[in-house]
DNA sequence: AAGTAGCACTCGAATAAAGTGAGTGCTAAC
DNA sequence: GTTAGCACTCACTTTATTCGAGTGCTACTT
């Protein structure tokens, strides 16, 4: 059977209507409001074909049709682009330039959730090899040393370390110089066990302390995939969509958002090298918790392999057009922000 | 009318039964299982009295009785202590000693939520006047200065500041000395505008930079009540209690947990000077979102006026005994951890 | 051959009616 | 004071009924 133009138009009308109502769509509705000037009977015949082809399905006999995953897929792949209506862009999404990356990401998650009315997930940038920019040990009091590690992208980490003996200023200075001269500019792949051992030896009495600092450097620098920080917002939006707020579904989703574990895996799975916007419908996404949802993700880049992921989770009947548009706009903003950071 | 011993026993039986079943309790149930050896008719008479006195109520005629807020109140105030069964204490709640306070608090919220199966809220310690312990500016690159501020309780904050001109090591050292000698040991009440102005003047060309640092010092030191960090966990537990997972309620609760705004106010409202465990039943707590819940809070102290709050939110029929016990145990643990911190 | 009107049919959802049973209050007897 | 007994209440369950949106099929029109 052939998916001719008319069938496509009808399918588009069905999906469009279903997106906004969430109710199965009947032939009469399409006949009246699609502007195709066809009787409901004709529509019915076409619908019958579309169903046979697997693009739509009936929840039960004598109900209207709803899009199948395959139907949604066709929609986002081909139909959507054709009708990209001109809607005001997302430029009013204020991204105050936060000086801390984390705050900014949190803010992004929140803005996006408010704007789109869907739950959002933002994963912090991760890279296989962040480079160390700066290390500093400071004495806080007699027994506490504060280690501050800054890596590229100006991600700051600090760790309080207890020491047995008092360290003199001179000793601290020596350690600082040792650490900085050894590590600055190095990425995870360049920090070898050999190097670490050599430095520990050089540290002499302070091997323990230096060891702890190096641990921190390590975790700052290699941001292991699993450990990437993610920020979520708008989980409560699921209550706006009846099909998601049904008890079991809601529980799964809320749990996933709280635990973050599954989201983390999901986001990593979905980290896309091709740097484009991606749409996963239903089972296409590798996460049980959202198998009744769709997720749209964008990979943003802060340059030099520093990439993170932004995702919007919604019902399958989510407003793909606007979501995609919002993510595209966001991507541009993020890129420009990073450029600003660099130029200043 | 008199609340004699028998009435008390019956009330206790009603509440006990209701706590575990969540269903209205009938006279026959009490007659059979309470061990009082009274007929259902007698129980009915007593129940009628208890209802008149306001301790229990009927959802509708011909239903069993459920405890009223007043009944719960009496229960937690007097009945509960009498029957403190010996249940294994909460010593298996592992509190790995995290070196960062935040991680520890997060961990506490999580453990507690898992242990009790209720949502939990932990508010970071706040005090009107934390004292500054240490300030340090470091140059990260040509245009970025990292300011690290440590206050008592070893809370570390850092802020990245952009500067127009390159600062030499000597200048940085000078600023560091100026800041440390000026602020160390001071609390929020001692940092006056006069002092700030004087320092800014001394900073000369770097007034702007120093101003930003002072802002950070200010926010670190006075941890303004509203801004206290709170950690939540186990919000998904509400789905275990039908009366809370009903759509509207669930939405309110989940939103409250996500926004944190209302929780923050709540926790502040409930910060208790008397340092004891407190129970708020239903409307007793000043927060709309949890008006159908009870909340049990404990105030923990890390010494020197550094107090935080731990709260457990559950249905009114929550297991007060165990929750109170868990919080008491937690309190002891927290106190001892802090002592360890000090002695080391 | 493509489109349409018409009609019988389906089946979930909404509404109504009937039945069930846990629970009550009251009274009278022990 | 306690209890057995009984009539009564009322949410909940079950069953039956209706309703209507929507379908598939057939026959008629163009």
């Amino acid at each position: 059977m052939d998916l001719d133009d008319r069938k496509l138009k009808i399918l588009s009308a069905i999906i469009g209507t279903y997106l906004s109502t969430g109710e199965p769509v009947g032939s009469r509705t399409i006949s009246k409001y699609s502007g195709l000037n066809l009787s409901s009977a004709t529509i019915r015949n076409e619908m019958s074909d579309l169903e046979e082809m697997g693009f739509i399905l009936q929840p039960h006999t004598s109900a209207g049709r709803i899009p199948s995953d395959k139907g949604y897929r066709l929609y986002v792949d081909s139909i959507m682009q054709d009708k990209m209506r001109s809607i005001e862009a997302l430029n009013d999404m204020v991204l105050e330039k936060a000086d801390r990356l984390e705050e900014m990401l949190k803010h992004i998650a929140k803005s996006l959730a408010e704007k789109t009315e869907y739950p959002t997930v933002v994963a912090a940038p991760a890279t296989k090899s962040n480079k160390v920019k700066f290390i500093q040990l400071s004495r806080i009091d007699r027994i506490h040393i504060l280690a501050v590690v800054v890596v590229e992208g100006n991600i700051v980490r600090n760790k309080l370390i207890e020491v047995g003996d008092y360290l003199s200023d001179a000793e601290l200075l020596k350690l600082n110089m040792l650490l900085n001269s050894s590590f600055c500019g190095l990425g995870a792949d360049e920090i070898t066990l050999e190097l670490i051992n050599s430095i520990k030896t050089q540290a002499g009495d302070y091997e323990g302390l230096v060891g702890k600092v190096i641990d921190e450097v390590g975790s700052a620098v290699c941001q292991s995939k699993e450990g990437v920080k993610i920020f979520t917002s708008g989980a409560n939006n699921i209550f706006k969509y009846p099909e998601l707020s049904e008890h079991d579904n809601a529980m799964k989703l809320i749990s996933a958002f709280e635990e973050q574990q599954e989201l983390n895996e999901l986001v990593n799975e979905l980290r896309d090298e091709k740097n484009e916007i991606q749409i996963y419908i239903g089972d296409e996404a590798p996460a049980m918790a959202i198998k009744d949802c769709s997720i749209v993700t964008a990979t943003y880049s802060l340059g030099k392999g520093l990439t993170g992921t932004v995702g919007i989770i919604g019902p399958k009947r989510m407003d793909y057009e606007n979501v995609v548009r919002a993510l595209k706009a966001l991507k541009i903003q993020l890129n420009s922000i990073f450029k600003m950071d660099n130029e200043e």
Side-chain angles (χ1 to χ4, degrees), chain A:
Chain A
M1 204 174 317
D2 200 28
L3 190 62
D4 58 20
D5 189 54
R6 195 171 73 174
K7 281 192 175 50
L8 218 54
K9 280 209 180 94
I10 291 174
L11 179 58
S12 169
I14 293 172
I15 296 183
T17 311
Y18 184 70
L19 287 191
S20 52
T21 64
E23 297 288 312
V25 184
S27 56
R28 197 140 173 283
T29 316
I30 301 298
S31 164
K32 277 202 294 191
Y33 302 112
S34 73
L36 286 173
N37 259 14
L38 291 172
S39 81
S40 60
T42 311
I43 303 289
R44 274 202 291 284
N45 289 329
E46 297 288 36
M47 277 175 152
S48 174
D49 292 352
L50 284 170
E51 181 164 9
E52 200 180 323
M53 288 189 268
F55 293 113
I56 55 180
L57 43 83
Q58 271 182 298
H60 54 87
T61 15
S62 90
R65 307 303 214 285
I66 61 174
S68 67
D69 284 10
K70 188 177 167 191
Y72 281 124
R73 173 49 59 201
L74 183 72
Y75 176 74
V76 299
D77 282 350
S78 52
I79 304 179
M80 218 173 76
Q81 282 85 338
D82 300 344
K83 52 187 287 232
M84 275 284 187
R85 292 156 285 164
S86 71
I87 287 188
E88 84 303 351
L90 186 89
N91 18 18
D92 57 337
M93 194 170 84
V94 198
L95 287 184
E96 293 150 16
K97 187 162 163 290
D99 29 29
R100 296 197 207 166
L101 184 62
E102 292 202 357
E103 307 239 319
M104 192 174 88
L105 296 179
K106 245 184 246 174
H107 188 76
I108 288 171
K110 202 170 165 216
S111 308
L112 204 54
E114 278 167 11
K115 181 84 187 171
T116 61
E117 305 206 316
Y118 296 114
T120 58
V121 181
V122 176
T127 167
K128 261 143 242 152
S129 129
N130 263 343
K131 287 193 173 122
V132 179
K133 229 168 142 179
F134 175 79
I135 302 175
Q136 178 155 50
L137 306 183
S138 315
R139 189 175 49 250
I140 300 300
D141 55 32
R142 203 165 32 76
I143 54 158
H144 287 112
I145 298 291
L146 179 71
V148 176
V149 179
V150 182
V151 297
E152 245 166 34
N154 290 335
I155 296 163
V156 182
R157 302 183 57 127
N158 37 247
K159 184 186 179 88
L160 208 59
I161 300 171
E162 289 173 13
V163 288
D165 328 294
Y166 182 86
L167 272 84
S168 74
D169 285 350
E171 286 162 328
L172 261 183
L173 191 60
K174 224 175 81 187
L175 288 179
N176 271 326
M177 286 177 61
L178 171 64
L179 287 166
N180 273 293
S181 63
S182 311
F183 286 119
C184 277
L186 297 192
D189 46 343
E190 295 160 303
I191 302 181
T192 61
L193 206 58
E194 192 188 343
L195 175 64
I196 292 175
N197 281 332
S198 133
I199 291 169
K200 277 190 181 168
T201 313
Q202 290 177 57
D205 289 347
Y206 305 111
E207 187 185 325
L209 170 60
V210 168
K212 283 182 187 168
V213 176
I214 294 178
D215 284 350
E216 193 65 13
V217 170
S219 66
V221 114
C222 66
Q223 287 270 33
S224 70
K225 264 195 174 181
E226 313 80 51
V228 152
K229 273 208 179 151
I230 63 176
F231 306 92
T232 61
S233 186
N236 53 337
N237 280 324
I238 67 166
F239 292 108
K240 287 183 182 145
Y241 311 96
E243 63 266 50
L244 299 186
S245 58
E246 177 262 332
H247 189 283
D248 275 8
N249 253 327
M251 198 174 98
K252 264 190 227 143
L253 282 169
I254 295 292
S255 295
F257 268 80
E258 237 201 342
E259 307 282 347
Q260 305 217 329
Q261 173 59 28
E262 198 171 4
L263 284 188
N264 219 318
E265 287 164 17
L266 177 66
V267 156
N268 277 310
E269 201 77 34
L270 266 42
R271 195 177 294 281
D272 173 37
E273 306 304 328
K274 293 188 306 293
N275 223 19
E276 256 314 315
I277 299 216
Q278 297 201 292
I279 301 180
Y280 301 83
I281 296 157
D283 294 324
E284 294 174 8
M288 277 311 292
I290 65 160
K291 75 174 173 35
D292 290 318
C293 304
S294 284
I295 177 166
V296 184
T297 65
T299 305
Y300 62 91
S301 156
L302 302 190
K304 295 182 206 150
L306 252 185
T307 63
T309 307
V310 184
I312 296 181
I313 294 174
K316 286 186 192 171
R317 62 175 177 100
M318 74 197 281
D319 182 350
Y320 295 101
E321 290 190 51
N322 269 316
V323 166
V324 168
R325 191 170 303 112
L327 282 181
K328 276 190 181 154
L330 177 63
K331 217 168 139 167
I332 293 169
Q333 283 200 36
L334 278 176
N335 289 345
S336 74
I337 283 174
F338 183 63
K339 278 207 193 97
M340 267 164 56
D341 263 5
N342 257 6
E343 286 162 8
E344 275 170 356

